[in-house]
Amino acid sequence: MSLFRSEEMALCQLFLQSEAAYACVSELGELGLAQFRDLNPFVNAFQRKFVNEVRRCDEMERKLRYLEKEIKKDGIPMLDSGENVEAPQPREMIDLEATFEKLENELREVNQNAEALKRNYLELTELKHILRKTQVFFDEMADPSREDEQVNLLGEEGLRAGGQSLKLGFVAGVILRERIPPFERMLWRACRGNVFLRQAEIDTPLEDPTTSDQVYKSVFIIFFQGDQLKIRVKKICEGFRATLYPCPETPNDRREMAVGVMTRIEDLNTVLSQTQDHRHRVLVAAAKSIKIWFTKVRKIKAIYHTLNLFNLDVTQKCLIAECWVPVSDLEAIHLALRRGTERSGSSVPPILNRMETREVPPTYFRLNKFTKGFQMLIDAYGVGTYREANPAPYAIITFPFLFAVMFGDFGHGLIMTLFALWMVMNEKPLIAKKSTSEIWNIFFGGRYIILLMGFFSMYTGLIYNDFFSKSLNLFGSQWFVPQKSMYIFKEKDVMLDPKNAYANSPYPIGLDPVWQVADNKINFLNAYKMKVSIIIGVCHMIFGVMMSLWNHMFFRKKINILCDFVPQIIFMTFIFFYLVLLVFHKWVAYYATGDDEGLGPHCAPSILITFINMVLFKNGEKIGECEPYMYGGQQGFQKFLVVIAVLCIPWMLAGKPYLIYKYRQLQHQQFTNVSTAGLTEESDQVQMANGAAAPSGDHEENEKMEDIVIHQAIHTIEYVLGCVSNTASYLRLWALSLAHAQLSEVLWGMVLRLGLQSGSWFGGVFLFMIFAAWACLTLAILVLMEGLSAFLHTLRLHWVEFQNKFYQGAGYPFSPFSFDTILETAQNVEE
């Protein structure tokens, strides 16, 4: 029964010995049934008793996140056994801190050494490429065909002198490949064209030792003349972050250096491999336990964070806490506290006292994976006020049904049902995947809602006899054309007249399939679906008003029953439920083969005109031999209903404020008489008795009369006008149902029919392509977009038209201290 009305909650005061507090709170965290209140709201977070322990946990979490980042970087799988690890004892924090400190220092040292080795390896690799590429550059410079370039750099006199006194200088280095063009332009402009640059790309990418990214670089060598140009060139290289390396001038020296570089690279490869192996072993060992470590640290942190909400007594030996707990779970709370005391070895048992309070408790429902989705729909409007009637159990039926009225198609409902059934059958592996897609998580979280919506859509599809906009002729049509002695399906277009073409035997389930080929199909379905929408809407709203009676009776607010519910239900039934009765009366009293006494279909009065005349007190006009009324005495009876309904408006408007005013006068008079007699104790008893017998509850008792009058006026106007607007709002059931059916029919006629009409040899291939297009459009438009539209309209009908009759939604959720919730939230944040 907790789903129909929230759990009864109790505010309890908890006394814990300091040495047993940690273990008791740990047991309560495993149980997850206690919501603690902050007894130190004005104490700074950095001045609380256990702030140092919380900081130590933060530091351990930081170290674990560093280890986790390194493990993920190496692609090592982290073992998640899924077992529930108990919160460690406070003394185990020291061991955990020492373990994490050792792992972090070891890993940082290994990383620093590996980074230094990689940097050295990068430098040697770049030098190797320089020695290889520069040999080609020097060979080109020795080529006689390069004499013009040497003339430009040394001049003709320097060249004739044999280059002895004016020999070219050069620098060689490595630069990022994307910086070559601006580097070359800067050299040309800064040196006025007096340098000669040669560059060649390094084919294989090099690893950046800092970021481990693969970068592409190029080798360059710059020839120049003079020391000034040398200084200028080096400054430009430094500005572009180019790395310069020493390069011997003679080929023999370059060859010897290359041999030495290759030897050092081989040695470095061996050392790097050993370093990486050691790092990998450390990370693999950490990956086996890191999930368990995270769980332990987060539980410790949560416990100390909760202990910071407690208050210390004057002796500093006892912790005092206040918490909301469900009344039905008090025994489980006692058992958890007893286990915590035994674990801690304390000899003093904890004390749990139930407190009396006028504070509004939190709202708590016991949910499972089926009811959770429907409760989330209700909570999205507003968390229910404590102990008020919960719309969720009724929405389990009404929500998918109203959706199906707008989405009624057997084929589309079947697609939705199969998709939801697949999610339900595979929910465990799908949950294990822990998808981060928000759209997928929304669909998966509402899998049971989608399942019911699809199932109900299949039902309404049978009632409408719609299967991808076509009918299923399972039992044979009951309509015929006697003049031609042939079934109606052989005709292309027929206007159905039930007087001449109906066999007086209805189709067993839903609409007769003959309506698919009738010219007056739209007229018939419009009238049918419009009336059904009004009937469903009025019944839904009346049910909401009846739910308000259940609330008033539960909270013992007799004045609300007398001044709110009674006039509301009278107003609703005398006006709008009477309209529903007129619809049923018209269906029963007027039929196609009616006699000549005014009961034929041509004499059926318009319900809309009848309803307007009823509200305006206007007499109906007789048309020919047809009477304007459906039964005898209808005119007088309708006037009586309207008068009574109109009298309910001042009843709702002034009844409640008047009774509250008279009650307060009587209460004040009794209090004055008792005070005059000097009987203080009796005065308190009278006050308590009057407060318990107050007809309107605590809220109205403490409210000013002006506020009560204004609130009641707003409530009355909202209800009276809402009855009209809400009834009209339910016509969206008819409108969306008609739009969905017509859109499905258009998609069939303009897309799939093209493939079915093709009769050539190419028809099979063409039909395959057309069917693929039709299937994609059906899923995208008719199932997804139309389904979302119908879902939103159904949500609005529940939030506005149904729930505003009884549901306040002014509560706040029960948020117990639970390790499962804390760990799940932390895991979602990480992902």
Side-chain angles (χ1 to χ4, degrees):
M1 292 294 291
S2 64
L3 188 61
F4 293 91
R5 202 177 290 277
S6 62
E7 288 276 336
E8 184 180 358
M9 307 296 290
L11 181 62
C12 297
Q13 192 173 37
L14 180 62
F15 295 88
L16 299 171
Q17 290 296 313
S18 298
E19 60 271 14
Y22 181 93
C24 290
V25 172
S26 174
E27 290 294 333
L28 293 178
E30 298 289 351
L31 191 62
L33 289 174
Q35 176 179 334
F36 291 96
R37 302 172 65 191
D38 190 0
L39 300 184
N40 308 298
F42 303 108
V43 178
N44 191 288
F46 300 102
Q47 297 176 346
R48 304 203 177 194
K49 179 176 178 59
F50 300 98
V51 63
N52 291 328
E53 286 78 1
V54 174
R55 285 177 175 172
R56 290 166 62 188
C57 292
D58 286 335
E59 181 64 18
M60 286 191 290
E61 267 195 306
R62 182 195 63 78
K63 294 175 182 177
L64 286 176
R65 284 194 297 268
Y66 171 72
L67 291 174
E68 184 183 35
K69 183 182 72 172
E70 296 297 322
I71 291 171
K72 289 181 178 179
K73 186 187 295 184
D74 280 21
I76 301 173
M78 291 178 285
L79 180 63
D80 188 3
S81 60
E83 61 177 336
N84 185 21
V85 183
E86 292 186 356
Q89 295 297 322
R91 58 180 176 271
E92 296 182 33
M93 282 184 64
I94 301 175
D95 298 334
L96 290 175
E97 286 176 317
T99 302
F100 300 158
E101 183 73 20
K102 177 184 177 182
L103 280 174
E104 184 190 27
N105 293 336
E106 184 177 2
L107 192 57
R108 288 190 182 278
E109 183 179 357
V110 170
N111 286 342
Q112 290 174 0
N113 294 336
E115 184 178 345
L117 291 172
K118 287 181 179 180
R119 186 174 290 108
N120 195 1
Y121 180 80
L122 176 65
E123 292 174 355
L124 292 174
T125 305
E126 290 177 348
L127 181 57
K128 178 187 69 174
H129 286 289
I130 287 175
L131 294 174
R132 288 180 180 178
K133 302 292 184 181
T134 52
Q135 183 61 42
V136 180
F137 298 153
F138 282 112
D139 293 341
E140 291 178 354
M141 291 301 297
D143 190 357
S145 61
R146 297 282 183 172
E147 186 176 348
D148 294 339
E149 295 168 349
Q150 296 180 16
V151 170
N152 292 334
L153 292 173
L154 296 175
E156 295 182 358
E157 297 180 357
L159 191 61
R160 285 194 299 268
Q164 298 297 326
S165 59
L166 298 174
K167 187 168 64 170
L168 284 175
F170 66 90
V171 293
V174 176
I175 190 173
L176 289 175
R177 189 176 298 177
E178 60 268 18
R179 293 179 182 173
I180 284 290
F183 179 62
E184 190 172 358
R185 286 195 299 270
M186 180 59 70
L187 282 172
W188 178 265
R189 293 172 182 174
C191 300
R192 303 180 184 275
N194 293 320
V195 296
F196 178 65
L197 171 68
R198 293 290 293 166
Q199 59 92 13
E201 295 179 353
I202 300 176
D203 297 330
T204 57
L206 304 176
E207 182 182 356
D208 189 330
T210 304
T211 62
S212 299
D213 295 333
Q214 299 293 323
V215 294
Y216 290 88
K217 293 187 176 183
S218 296
V219 173
F220 67 87
I221 185 169
I222 305 171
F223 296 94
F224 50 83
Q225 178 187 0
D227 294 335
Q228 291 185 354
L229 282 179
K230 181 178 181 180
I231 296 173
R232 192 174 300 176
V233 166
K234 286 186 175 182
K235 286 185 177 180
I236 294 173
C237 293
E238 182 181 355
F240 279 86
R241 296 182 181 177
T243 307
L244 299 180
Y245 291 95
C247 182
E249 298 182 2
T250 64
N252 292 332
D253 293 341
R254 287 195 293 271
R255 194 175 299 110
E256 291 178 3
M257 179 177 284
V259 173
V261 167
M262 292 301 296
T263 304
R264 293 174 61 190
I265 287 177
E266 292 177 0
D267 296 340
L268 270 179
N269 274 328
T270 304
V271 177
L272 266 175
S273 177
Q274 294 175 353
T275 304
Q276 291 295 339
D277 289 343
H278 176 64
R279 181 177 185 273
H280 186 76
R281 286 194 300 270
V282 172
L283 292 178
V284 167
K288 294 179 181 179
S289 306
I290 191 166
K291 291 292 185 181
I292 296 177
W293 289 339
F294 263 122
T295 302
K296 288 183 177 181
V297 171
R298 284 167 180 164
K299 285 188 176 183
I300 296 173
K301 182 180 177 182
I303 292 172
Y304 281 117
H305 178 74
T306 303
L307 289 174
N308 277 332
L309 305 178
F310 295 6
N311 204 352
L312 283 170
D313 69 338
V314 291
T315 62
Q316 301 288 318
K317 294 182 179 179
C318 180
L319 291 172
I320 305 172
E322 292 181 4
C323 57
W324 291 106
V325 297
V327 173
S328 58
D329 292 318
L330 282 174
E331 184 63 28
I333 299 291
H334 280 289
L335 291 176
L337 294 174
R338 195 175 304 157
R339 288 195 302 269
T341 305
E342 293 173 357
R343 280 180 54 192
S344 64
S346 175
S347 58
V348 181
I351 301 174
L352 184 68
N353 294 328
R354 187 169 176 179
M355 301 171 60
E356 296 295 332
T357 179
R358 298 177 70 89
E359 186 177 347
V360 178
T363 302
Y364 174 53
F365 298 102
R366 298 185 189 273
L367 304 173
N368 53 39
K369 60 184 179 181
F370 177 76
T371 57
K372 184 178 180 181
F374 292 96
Q375 189 63 52
M376 289 177 65
L377 291 179
I378 304 302
D379 290 345
Y381 173 81
V383 179
T385 306
Y386 176 66
R387 300 291 285 166
E388 77 170 336
N390 183 24
Y394 314 104
I396 294 175
I397 300 300
T398 60
F399 191 92
F401 177 72
L402 293 183
F403 172 86
V405 172
M406 293 181 279
F407 195 75
D409 189 290
F410 188 89
H412 301 155
L414 181 62
I415 294 174
M416 189 175 293
T417 302
L418 292 177
F419 174 64
L421 196 60
W422 173 78
M423 289 192 291
V424 171
M425 297 296 291
N426 298 277
E427 63 181 14
K428 289 186 177 179
L430 291 174
I431 291 174
K433 289 183 178 179
K434 298 177 182 178
S435 174
T436 57
S437 173
E438 185 175 356
I439 296 177
W440 165 255
N441 289 334
I442 291 174
F443 276 107
F444 184 72
R447 57 193 179 278
Y448 291 100
I449 302 176
I450 298 174
L451 180 63
L452 287 182
M453 291 193 304
F455 179 77
F456 275 77
S457 297
M458 292 171 62
Y459 167 74
T460 53
L462 287 177
I463 299 299
Y464 296 156
N465 207 343
D466 270 348
F467 186 84
F468 294 117
S469 80
K470 297 302 175 184
S471 293
L472 296 174
N473 189 14
L474 301 177
F475 305 100
S477 175
Q478 299 300 314
W479 293 74
F480 58 91
V481 181
Q483 301 94 321
K484 300 182 180 180
S485 300
M486 62 188 340
Y487 283 101
I488 201 66
F489 292 109
K490 296 182 180 179
E491 294 295 318
K492 182 178 180 181
D493 294 307
V494 176
M495 179 72 72
L496 293 180
D497 184 0
K499 189 172 184 179
N500 300 320
Y502 184 52
N504 290 328
S505 177
Y507 194 72
I509 300 177
L511 294 178
D512 196 297
V514 75
W515 287 105
Q516 279 291 337
V517 295
D519 273 356
N520 54 341
K521 169 188 174 183
I522 299 298
N523 296 334
F524 170 73
L525 290 180
N526 266 346
Y528 167 71
K529 292 183 177 180
M530 184 188 302
K531 292 180 177 64
V532 169
S533 300
I534 295 296
I535 293 171
I536 293 175
V538 172
C539 293
H540 200 210
M541 290 189 294
I542 290 178
F543 179 64
V545 178
M546 295 302 297
M547 291 290 293
S548 69
L549 172 63
W550 191 29
N551 273 338
H552 300 329
M553 293 175 63
F554 181 82
F555 292 113
R556 299 179 181 178
K557 294 185 177 182
K558 297 180 180 179
I559 190 173
N560 288 353
I561 298 176
L562 180 63
C563 298
D564 283 341
F565 168 73
V566 174
Q568 285 177 3
I569 196 67
I570 291 176
F571 185 85
M572 177 69 74
T573 53
F574 279 25
I575 299 294
F576 298 98
F577 189 70
Y578 176 73
L579 175 63
V580 173
L581 294 179
L582 286 181
V583 172
F584 282 104
H585 180 75
K586 183 177 179 179
W587 282 345
V588 174
Y590 297 89
Y591 43 93
T593 58
D595 53 21
D596 297 331
E597 298 179 359
L599 296 179
H602 63 284
C603 287
S606 170
I607 292 182
L608 179 61
I609 300 301
T610 302
F611 187 71
I612 293 175
N613 291 338
M614 169 185 169
V615 176
L616 298 179
F617 291 95
K618 186 178 179 181
N619 297 328
E621 297 179 359
K622 185 175 182 180
I623 301 176
E625 61 179 9
C626 298
E627 293 293 334
Y629 299 109
M630 300 182 185
Y631 57 89
Q634 180 179 356
Q635 182 179 5
F637 182 64
Q638 289 181 166
K639 289 181 179 179
F640 168 76
L641 293 179
V642 174
V643 169
I644 297 300
V646 171
L647 290 177
C648 289
I649 298 177
W651 185 357
M652 284 187 285
L653 183 65
K656 186 174 180 179
Y658 174 76
L659 291 180
I660 293 176
Y661 175 73
K662 297 299 291 183
Y663 164 75
R664 289 184 178 180
Q665 274 190 334
L666 179 62
Q667 186 184 37
H668 178 71
Q669 184 178 0
Q670 292 177 350
F671 178 74
T672 304
N673 294 338
V674 174
S675 298
T676 304
L679 301 176
T680 306
E681 182 178 355
E682 186 178 351
S683 172
D684 295 338
Q685 294 176 355
V686 171
Q687 275 190 303
M688 291 175 61
N690 289 338
S696 55
D698 298 332
H699 178 68
E700 289 84 357
E701 184 181 2
N702 298 327
E703 204 173 358
K704 295 181 180 179
M705 278 303 303
E706 296 85 354
D707 296 336
I708 294 176
V709 172
I710 294 174
H711 179 269
Q712 194 65 19
I714 294 174
H715 180 68
T716 302
I717 296 172
E718 180 185 11
Y719 180 80
V720 173
L721 297 181
C723 286
V724 180
S725 62
N726 293 348
T727 304
S729 181
Y730 277 94
L731 290 175
R732 70 185 69 236
L733 299 174
W734 153 60
L736 265 75
S737 174
L738 186 65
H740 184 78
Q742 290 301 305
L743 190 58
S744 179
E745 189 171 346
V746 167
L747 196 61
W748 180 287
M750 298 187 67
V751 179
L752 191 59
R753 183 176 294 179
L754 298 177
L756 296 174
Q757 290 176 346
S758 178
S760 63
W761 63 270
F762 187 67
V765 179
F766 184 65
L767 177 60
F768 179 80
M769 294 187 294
I770 289 295
F771 178 81
W774 174 80
C776 292
L777 291 174
T778 297
L779 290 175
I781 298 176
L782 296 180
V783 177
L784 287 178
M785 291 181 60
E786 284 284 308
L788 178 60
S789 174
F791 178 86
L792 294 177
H793 283 285
T794 308
L795 201 61
R796 181 241 154 78
L797 289 177
H798 278 77
W799 282 359
V800 179
E801 278 71 29
F802 174 59
Q803 291 178 194
N804 71 347
K805 303 295 186 297
F806 67 97
Y807 188 69
Q808 293 183 1
Y812 63 99
F814 177 58
S815 302
F817 170 61
S818 171
F819 287 146
D820 292 338
T821 304
I822 293 170
L823 295 176
E824 183 180 356
T825 303
Q827 189 173 8
N828 293 335
V829 170
E830 288 179 359
E831 295 175 354

